[in-house]
Structures are given as structure tokens and as C-alpha cells.
Amino acid sequence: MLPDMAGTDPAPVTLVVGDEELLAERAVNGVVAAARAVSPGAETHDLMGSKVTTGELTQLTSPSLFGDHSVVVIRSAQDLAKEVIAEIVAYTKQPSDDTVIVLAHPGGVKGKALVDGVKKAGAQVITINKVTKAGERMDFIKGEFKRAGRNISGDAAQALLEAVGNDLRELAAACNQLVFDTEDKTISAAAVARYHKGRAEVTGFNVADSAVEGRLAEALEQLRWALGTGVAPVLLVSALAGGLRSLAKVGSAPRNLRGGQLASHVGMPPWKVDRVRRQLNGWGPVGLSKAIQAVASADEQVKGGGADPAYALEHTVQVIVASRTGR
């Protein structure tokens, strides 16, 4: 699905267009890895479009007295200011030999001037197509195992898709876990059935994401499905706690950190930091503290302190959603 950047010199400016988040992230990482392979000591600057100021690109791409190379990644490029877009387009026409720039744009109308401008100026373009068909998801699953030097049978790939669902990140995580947990050269449907009998980890994360994003009905539905299929309550509590801890980590990080620096500080991959930052909308210190206390109480109850773990979990989800706008 993505071009193989290994062993190639990256273009001075690359535009990654598409809103399939996982594949776009991999495309960006591929260009960065290729640039670092050419210049192992290259300094990487990871920026968000809304935060890039006029003149900042000029500063980052100015020739170094020591001949150092650099990589500049600009994510959410649709949020760049008009003046910055003009600066990037002008730069693309005469790029520096010492810098590789990667622009990530989800497509769509917003920021289209950047897409059109850098394309016309000669930037390399990587288009990420949305994965919408079952056959494409099957190909994705098979590709994940091929990347790991393994294979998966057709019926096993179908079983995995049915068990995990359509989200590519969840599918990639499930493929990675199967590679880690199994030794067979070719993954069978039986192996998929054994591993996904409970789907505890994936299900727990879904419940946590729905709860911290304020989707009460969806969170309760997912919670009841998980309990009904045998997922241990303690694993669901752990997922809820993990979701809230992520909010607390990113929310309390120094405000001057961004991009790769923020990801490194909180110990999360950049894609997860971006997701958590979106989830932070509506949360404040008081509400977050109340939600964390509710999860701590649920943890005690599901470990023997209460008579009804299911009720404790439902109540906790309700408290989390209610706390989201409590600031």
C-alpha cells in the first residue's frame, strides 16, 4: 500500500495526502527513516501546522555552519497559516540540499492551497487512499504478516477481520500480537480463534476511548458486550485507568513541548499523543481527578471489595463521562 523508501534518497519536500491515519503516519515515518539513513546525525523537528509561525521554516532550513542536515515534519498541514503556506511553496521551488521536509495533509478543502502549491512546485506526493472495502482490509492484514516475515491463511485473515473490526490500528495491533504470540510460519484460523476468544485488550481500549470522549451510550454498549463475551472486569478497569493516565500525562506536559519532543516526554508514539490531545477537549483537572478516583474505587470493587463488578464498571463509565465537562 505504501512505497518502499528503504535504500532511496528522499525528495527534498514530500507531501503525504490522505486521512487514513495509520498509513499516513507510516508514510511520514518512512520518509524520515530514509532521510536518517542518508544522514544518521540529522536533527528532526516535528511540528504541528497550527503552531508553525512565519519565518520558522526559513530558520529551520537555513544552512548550518557545520554542514548539519535536518528533517522537518509538519503534521496537520491543513492548519498552516496562509503566510506560512506561501513560504513553504516558495521554498519547495528552491529547496535546500541539507533539509528534508515532510508535510502531512488529510486531504479535503482546508489547506488546499498548500497541496496545489507544493505539487506544482515539484514536491514528491504520496497519496494515501482510504481503506473502505473488505478485500482491501484483507490485503492489509496479509501485508502486516508479510512485513514480519510470516504468512496468514485466507480463512484466518477473514476470522481476524471479523473478530477485530475495520479499524486499521486495531488490526495492526492484533497482527503484531499474533506474530509475537505464535511460532507457526503461517497463522491459522485456529490460532486466531484461540487468541481472540475474549478480545480483552482491544475491547477494553474501545470502552475507554468511548468513555473519555463522552460517548456514554456507546461506552456502555461496548462494556456490556465485553462482559457478555467473557472479558475479565479487571482488564476493563485497567483499560479505563490507562486511558485516564494518558490524558493526565499529556495534559500536564510542559506547554512548550510539541511533536516528537512531547511524544518522547510522555512516552507515547506521536499518533497516540495526537489522539489523546483530541480526547483532552472538555477535560479539566477537577473532572480528571474525579474520574481517576472513580476508577480506583472500581478497581477495588472488581477485585473483591464489591458484590457486583458489572454494576461497578457501568457506574464508573457514567462517572467518567459526567466528569468530562466538570473541569
Side-chain angles (χ1 to χ4, degrees):
M1 288 187 178
L2 296 175
D4 185 1
M5 302 294 295
T8 63
D9 290 348
V13 180
T14 298
L15 172 67
V16 178
V17 183
D19 64 351
E20 192 68 78
E21 192 176 82
L22 174 65
L23 299 183
E25 179 74 22
R26 286 181 175 178
V28 170
N29 291 343
V31 178
V32 173
R36 286 177 174 166
V38 175
S39 302
E43 182 178 4
T44 301
H45 306 276
D46 203 318
L47 313 173
M48 293 298 293
S50 61
K51 302 296 184 181
V52 180
T53 58
T54 305
E56 187 171 2
L57 181 70
T58 301
Q59 179 183 354
L60 293 174
T61 58
S62 296
S64 167
L65 292 174
F66 305 102
D68 295 334
H69 288 70
S70 61
V71 181
V72 179
V73 179
I74 300 180
R75 305 177 192 276
S76 300
Q78 75 278 8
D79 296 329
L80 288 164
K82 291 182 180 179
E83 298 79 8
V84 179
I85 289 176
E87 187 179 346
I88 292 174
V89 172
Y91 172 86
T92 303
K93 295 176 181 177
Q94 292 184 307
S96 166
D97 294 332
D98 300 328
T99 303
V100 169
I101 294 181
V102 192
L103 308 164
H105 189 289
V109 176
K110 188 177 182 182
K112 192 172 184 295
L114 172 77
V115 175
D116 294 341
V118 297
K119 279 184 178 180
K120 189 175 180 180
Q124 171 181 265
V125 180
I126 300 176
T127 301
I128 306 297
N129 296 316
K130 193 75 175 177
V131 177
T132 58
K133 299 177 181 177
E136 294 171 340
R137 296 188 186 96
M138 290 281 283
D139 290 340
F140 173 80
I141 291 170
K142 293 174 182 177
E144 290 296 285
F145 286 97
K146 186 176 180 180
R147 281 166 46 129
R150 307 279 285 280
N151 297 307
I152 183 169
S153 66
D155 57 344
Q158 182 63 47
L160 187 61
L161 183 60
E162 291 174 357
V164 177
N166 295 334
D167 185 85
L168 290 194
R169 286 200 183 279
E170 293 184 4
L171 284 170
C175 292
N176 183 65
Q177 196 64 49
L178 274 167
V179 168
F180 182 79
D181 287 343
T182 61
E183 297 180 355
D184 295 338
K185 181 69 176 178
T186 299
I187 306 299
S188 66
V192 172
R194 284 195 304 271
Y195 179 71
H196 285 281
K197 187 176 180 180
R199 264 194 70 205
E201 185 178 21
V202 172
T203 301
F205 288 146
N206 284 344
V207 174
D209 283 340
S210 296
V212 301
E213 291 168 11
R215 304 195 304 272
L216 179 59
E218 188 175 325
L220 289 175
E221 181 183 358
Q222 292 169 333
L223 174 64
R224 289 161 187 160
W225 182 89
L227 291 171
T229 55
V231 178
V234 67
L235 294 176
L236 294 166
V237 171
S238 176
L240 291 169
L244 293 171
R245 280 197 301 269
S246 294
L247 292 179
K249 281 184 180 180
V250 175
S252 62
R255 296 194 177 277
N256 63 324
L257 296 181
R258 57 191 178 189
Q261 292 177 320
L262 176 58
S264 177
H265 179 79
V266 298
M268 301 177 193
W271 67 263
K272 185 172 182 180
V273 172
D274 290 343
R275 184 170 188 170
V276 173
R277 288 177 72 177
R278 291 193 295 269
Q279 290 176 334
L280 270 169
N281 183 38
W283 282 99
V286 174
L288 191 54
S289 175
K290 184 176 180 181
I292 291 173
Q293 290 173 10
V295 172
S297 175
D299 185 58
E300 180 181 350
Q301 292 183 61
V302 301
K303 290 179 179 176
D308 191 343
Y311 172 79
L313 279 163
E314 288 197 9
H315 176 70
T316 302
V317 167
Q318 291 169 340
V319 172
I320 291 172
V321 173
S323 301
R324 181 171 174 267
T325 55
R327 293 297 175 187

Short mmCIF file of all heavy atoms in Angstrom, two decimals, residues 191-225:
data_model
loop_
_atom_site.label_atom_id
_atom_site.label_comp_id
_atom_site.label_asym_id
_atom_site.label_seq_id
_atom_site.Cartn_x
_atom_site.Cartn_y
_atom_site.Cartn_z
N ALA A 191 -5.45 -20.48 15.36
CA ALA A 191 -4.64 -19.57 16.18
C ALA A 191 -5.38 -18.26 16.43
O ALA A 191 -5.35 -17.71 17.53
CB ALA A 191 -3.30 -19.30 15.49
N VAL A 192 -6.06 -17.78 15.39
CA VAL A 192 -6.83 -16.55 15.55
C VAL A 192 -7.96 -16.76 16.56
O VAL A 192 -8.21 -15.92 17.42
CB VAL A 192 -7.41 -16.10 14.19
CG1 VAL A 192 -8.38 -14.92 14.38
CG2 VAL A 192 -6.29 -15.71 13.24
N ALA A 193 -8.64 -17.89 16.47
CA ALA A 193 -9.75 -18.19 17.39
C ALA A 193 -9.26 -18.26 18.83
O ALA A 193 -9.91 -17.75 19.74
CB ALA A 193 -10.41 -19.50 16.98
N ARG A 194 -8.10 -18.90 19.04
CA ARG A 194 -7.55 -19.00 20.40
C ARG A 194 -7.23 -17.63 20.97
O ARG A 194 -7.56 -17.32 22.11
CB ARG A 194 -6.28 -19.86 20.40
CG ARG A 194 -6.51 -21.35 20.28
CD ARG A 194 -5.26 -22.13 20.66
NE ARG A 194 -4.09 -21.74 19.86
CZ ARG A 194 -3.76 -22.29 18.70
NH1 ARG A 194 -4.53 -23.25 18.20
NH2 ARG A 194 -2.69 -21.89 18.04
N TYR A 195 -6.60 -16.82 20.14
CA TYR A 195 -6.14 -15.51 20.64
C TYR A 195 -7.30 -14.55 20.87
O TYR A 195 -7.30 -13.78 21.83
CB TYR A 195 -5.14 -14.89 19.66
CG TYR A 195 -4.66 -13.54 20.11
CD1 TYR A 195 -3.81 -13.41 21.22
CD2 TYR A 195 -5.10 -12.39 19.48
CE1 TYR A 195 -3.41 -12.17 21.66
CE2 TYR A 195 -4.69 -11.14 19.91
CZ TYR A 195 -3.84 -11.04 21.00
OH TYR A 195 -3.44 -9.79 21.44
N HIS A 196 -8.31 -14.58 19.99
CA HIS A 196 -9.37 -13.57 20.05
C HIS A 196 -10.66 -14.08 20.68
O HIS A 196 -11.71 -13.50 20.48
CB HIS A 196 -9.65 -13.02 18.65
CG HIS A 196 -8.58 -12.09 18.20
ND1 HIS A 196 -8.50 -10.78 18.61
CD2 HIS A 196 -7.49 -12.29 17.41
CE1 HIS A 196 -7.45 -10.21 18.08
NE2 HIS A 196 -6.82 -11.10 17.35
N LYS A 197 -10.54 -15.12 21.46
CA LYS A 197 -11.74 -15.63 22.13
C LYS A 197 -12.36 -14.57 23.02
O LYS A 197 -13.58 -14.41 23.10
CB LYS A 197 -11.40 -16.86 22.96
CG LYS A 197 -12.61 -17.56 23.55
CD LYS A 197 -12.21 -18.83 24.28
CE LYS A 197 -13.43 -19.53 24.86
NZ LYS A 197 -13.07 -20.78 25.58
N GLY A 198 -11.51 -13.79 23.69
CA GLY A 198 -12.02 -12.74 24.56
C GLY A 198 -11.86 -11.35 23.99
O GLY A 198 -12.62 -10.46 24.28
N ARG A 199 -10.83 -11.15 23.16
CA ARG A 199 -10.52 -9.83 22.62
C ARG A 199 -10.44 -8.80 23.73
O ARG A 199 -10.90 -7.66 23.63
CB ARG A 199 -11.59 -9.39 21.62
CG ARG A 199 -11.25 -9.67 20.19
CD ARG A 199 -12.15 -8.93 19.25
NE ARG A 199 -11.89 -7.51 19.28
CZ ARG A 199 -12.77 -6.58 18.96
NH1 ARG A 199 -13.99 -6.91 18.62
NH2 ARG A 199 -12.45 -5.31 18.98
N ALA A 200 -9.82 -9.18 24.85
CA ALA A 200 -9.83 -8.33 26.04
C ALA A 200 -9.16 -6.99 25.82
O ALA A 200 -9.73 -5.94 26.13
CB ALA A 200 -9.12 -9.07 27.18
N GLU A 201 -7.96 -7.00 25.26
CA GLU A 201 -7.22 -5.74 25.16
C GLU A 201 -7.91 -4.76 24.22
O GLU A 201 -8.16 -3.62 24.55
CB GLU A 201 -5.80 -6.01 24.67
CG GLU A 201 -4.92 -4.77 24.65
CD GLU A 201 -3.52 -5.10 24.21
OE1 GLU A 201 -3.29 -6.12 23.57
OE2 GLU A 201 -2.63 -4.29 24.52
N VAL A 202 -8.26 -5.23 23.03
CA VAL A 202 -8.88 -4.35 22.05
C VAL A 202 -10.21 -3.82 22.57
O VAL A 202 -10.52 -2.64 22.50
CB VAL A 202 -9.08 -5.08 20.71
CG1 VAL A 202 -9.91 -4.24 19.75
CG2 VAL A 202 -7.73 -5.38 20.09
N THR A 203 -11.04 -4.71 23.13
CA THR A 203 -12.35 -4.31 23.65
C THR A 203 -12.20 -3.30 24.77
O THR A 203 -12.92 -2.30 24.82
CB THR A 203 -13.12 -5.54 24.15
OG1 THR A 203 -13.28 -6.45 23.08
CG2 THR A 203 -14.48 -5.13 24.68
N GLY A 204 -11.27 -3.52 25.67
CA GLY A 204 -11.06 -2.60 26.79
C GLY A 204 -10.69 -1.21 26.32
O GLY A 204 -11.19 -0.20 26.82
N PHE A 205 -9.83 -1.13 25.32
CA PHE A 205 -9.42 0.16 24.79
C PHE A 205 -10.60 0.88 24.13
O PHE A 205 -10.73 2.09 24.22
CB PHE A 205 -8.28 0.01 23.80
CG PHE A 205 -6.96 -0.34 24.46
CD1 PHE A 205 -6.05 -1.16 23.81
CD2 PHE A 205 -6.65 0.14 25.71
CE1 PHE A 205 -4.83 -1.47 24.41
CE2 PHE A 205 -5.44 -0.16 26.33
CZ PHE A 205 -4.53 -0.98 25.68
N ASN A 206 -11.47 0.11 23.46
CA ASN A 206 -12.64 0.73 22.84
C ASN A 206 -13.56 1.35 23.88
O ASN A 206 -14.06 2.45 23.71
CB ASN A 206 -13.42 -0.32 22.03
CG ASN A 206 -12.74 -0.66 20.72
OD1 ASN A 206 -11.87 0.06 20.27
ND2 ASN A 206 -13.14 -1.76 20.12
N VAL A 207 -13.78 0.61 24.97
CA VAL A 207 -14.62 1.13 26.05
C VAL A 207 -14.00 2.40 26.63
O VAL A 207 -14.69 3.41 26.84
CB VAL A 207 -14.79 0.07 27.16
CG1 VAL A 207 -15.55 0.67 28.36
CG2 VAL A 207 -15.54 -1.15 26.64
N ALA A 208 -12.69 2.37 26.87
CA ALA A 208 -12.01 3.52 27.45
C ALA A 208 -12.08 4.73 26.53
O ALA A 208 -12.37 5.86 26.98
CB ALA A 208 -10.55 3.16 27.75
N ASP A 209 -11.84 4.53 25.24
CA ASP A 209 -11.88 5.66 24.30
C ASP A 209 -13.27 6.28 24.25
O ASP A 209 -13.42 7.51 24.27
CB ASP A 209 -11.48 5.20 22.89
CG ASP A 209 -9.98 5.00 22.74
OD1 ASP A 209 -9.23 5.57 23.56
OD2 ASP A 209 -9.56 4.29 21.82
N SER A 210 -14.30 5.44 24.20
CA SER A 210 -15.67 5.97 24.15
C SER A 210 -16.00 6.75 25.42
O SER A 210 -16.64 7.81 25.37
CB SER A 210 -16.67 4.82 23.97
OG SER A 210 -16.48 4.18 22.73
N ALA A 211 -15.54 6.24 26.56
CA ALA A 211 -15.84 6.90 27.83
C ALA A 211 -15.15 8.26 27.94
O ALA A 211 -15.79 9.27 28.27
CB ALA A 211 -15.43 6.00 29.00
N VAL A 212 -13.85 8.31 27.67
CA VAL A 212 -13.13 9.58 27.84
C VAL A 212 -13.54 10.60 26.78
O VAL A 212 -13.35 11.81 26.97
CB VAL A 212 -11.59 9.39 27.83
CG1 VAL A 212 -11.16 8.45 28.93
CG2 VAL A 212 -11.11 8.89 26.48
N GLU A 213 -14.12 10.13 25.67
CA GLU A 213 -14.60 11.05 24.63
C GLU A 213 -16.05 11.46 24.84
O GLU A 213 -16.61 12.18 24.03
CB GLU A 213 -14.41 10.42 23.25
CG GLU A 213 -12.93 10.29 22.87
CD GLU A 213 -12.69 9.41 21.65
OE1 GLU A 213 -13.69 9.06 20.96
OE2 GLU A 213 -11.52 9.07 21.37
N GLY A 214 -16.66 10.96 25.92
CA GLY A 214 -18.00 11.41 26.29
C GLY A 214 -19.14 10.69 25.60
O GLY A 214 -20.29 11.15 25.64
N ARG A 215 -18.87 9.55 24.97
CA ARG A 215 -19.92 8.81 24.25
C ARG A 215 -20.49 7.74 25.19
O ARG A 215 -20.11 6.56 25.12
CB ARG A 215 -19.36 8.20 22.97
CG ARG A 215 -18.72 9.22 22.05
CD ARG A 215 -18.49 8.66 20.63
NE ARG A 215 -17.69 7.45 20.65
CZ ARG A 215 -16.37 7.42 20.60
NH1 ARG A 215 -15.69 8.55 20.59
NH2 ARG A 215 -15.71 6.28 20.58
N LEU A 216 -21.41 8.14 26.04
CA LEU A 216 -21.90 7.27 27.11
C LEU A 216 -22.60 6.03 26.58
O LEU A 216 -22.28 4.91 26.99
CB LEU A 216 -22.86 8.05 28.02
CG LEU A 216 -23.48 7.24 29.18
CD1 LEU A 216 -22.40 6.67 30.08
CD2 LEU A 216 -24.45 8.10 29.97
N ALA A 217 -23.59 6.21 25.69
CA ALA A 217 -24.36 5.05 25.20
C ALA A 217 -23.44 4.03 24.53
O ALA A 217 -23.56 2.82 24.74
CB ALA A 217 -25.43 5.52 24.23
N GLU A 218 -22.50 4.52 23.74
CA GLU A 218 -21.58 3.63 23.04
C GLU A 218 -20.66 2.91 24.02
O GLU A 218 -20.40 1.71 23.89
CB GLU A 218 -20.75 4.45 22.04
CG GLU A 218 -19.89 3.61 21.12
CD GLU A 218 -19.19 4.47 20.08
OE1 GLU A 218 -19.80 5.46 19.63
OE2 GLU A 218 -18.05 4.15 19.72
N ALA A 219 -20.18 3.64 25.02
CA ALA A 219 -19.28 3.04 26.01
C ALA A 219 -19.99 1.94 26.80
O ALA A 219 -19.43 0.86 27.04
CB ALA A 219 -18.76 4.11 26.96
N LEU A 220 -21.25 2.20 27.19
CA LEU A 220 -22.00 1.20 27.96
C LEU A 220 -22.32 -0.03 27.11
O LEU A 220 -22.25 -1.16 27.59
CB LEU A 220 -23.29 1.81 28.49
CG LEU A 220 -23.13 2.84 29.62
CD1 LEU A 220 -24.46 3.47 29.97
CD2 LEU A 220 -22.49 2.21 30.86
N GLU A 221 -22.65 0.19 25.84
CA GLU A 221 -22.92 -0.93 24.95
C GLU A 221 -21.68 -1.81 24.78
O GLU A 221 -21.76 -3.04 24.84
CB GLU A 221 -23.38 -0.40 23.59
CG GLU A 221 -23.71 -1.51 22.59
CD GLU A 221 -24.10 -0.96 21.23
OE1 GLU A 221 -24.15 0.28 21.07
OE2 GLU A 221 -24.35 -1.78 20.32
N GLN A 222 -20.53 -1.17 24.56
CA GLN A 222 -19.28 -1.91 24.39
C GLN A 222 -18.91 -2.65 25.68
O GLN A 222 -18.43 -3.78 25.65
CB GLN A 222 -18.16 -0.96 23.98
CG GLN A 222 -18.34 -0.40 22.59
CD GLN A 222 -17.36 0.73 22.30
OE1 GLN A 222 -16.91 1.42 23.21
NE2 GLN A 222 -17.06 0.94 21.03
N LEU A 223 -19.15 -1.99 26.82
CA LEU A 223 -18.85 -2.60 28.11
C LEU A 223 -19.69 -3.86 28.33
O LEU A 223 -19.16 -4.91 28.73
CB LEU A 223 -19.12 -1.59 29.23
CG LEU A 223 -19.00 -2.11 30.67
CD1 LEU A 223 -17.56 -2.54 30.96
CD2 LEU A 223 -19.45 -1.05 31.66
N ARG A 224 -20.98 -3.76 28.04
CA ARG A 224 -21.86 -4.92 28.26
C ARG A 224 -21.51 -6.06 27.30
O ARG A 224 -21.56 -7.23 27.67
CB ARG A 224 -23.32 -4.49 28.08
CG ARG A 224 -23.82 -3.60 29.22
CD ARG A 224 -25.05 -2.80 28.86
NE ARG A 224 -25.39 -1.84 29.91
CZ ARG A 224 -26.15 -0.77 29.72
NH1 ARG A 224 -26.67 -0.53 28.51
NH2 ARG A 224 -26.40 0.06 30.71
N TRP A 225 -21.13 -5.70 26.05
CA TRP A 225 -20.72 -6.74 25.10
C TRP A 225 -19.47 -7.43 25.60
O TRP A 225 -19.35 -8.65 25.54
CB TRP A 225 -20.46 -6.10 23.73
CG TRP A 225 -20.08 -7.10 22.68
CD1 TRP A 225 -20.93 -7.78 21.86
CD2 TRP A 225 -18.77 -7.57 22.36
NE1 TRP A 225 -20.23 -8.63 21.04
CE2 TRP A 225 -18.90 -8.52 21.32
CE3 TRP A 225 -17.49 -7.26 22.83
CZ2 TRP A 225 -17.80 -9.16 20.76
CZ3 TRP A 225 -16.40 -7.91 22.28
CH2 TRP A 225 -16.55 -8.85 21.25
#
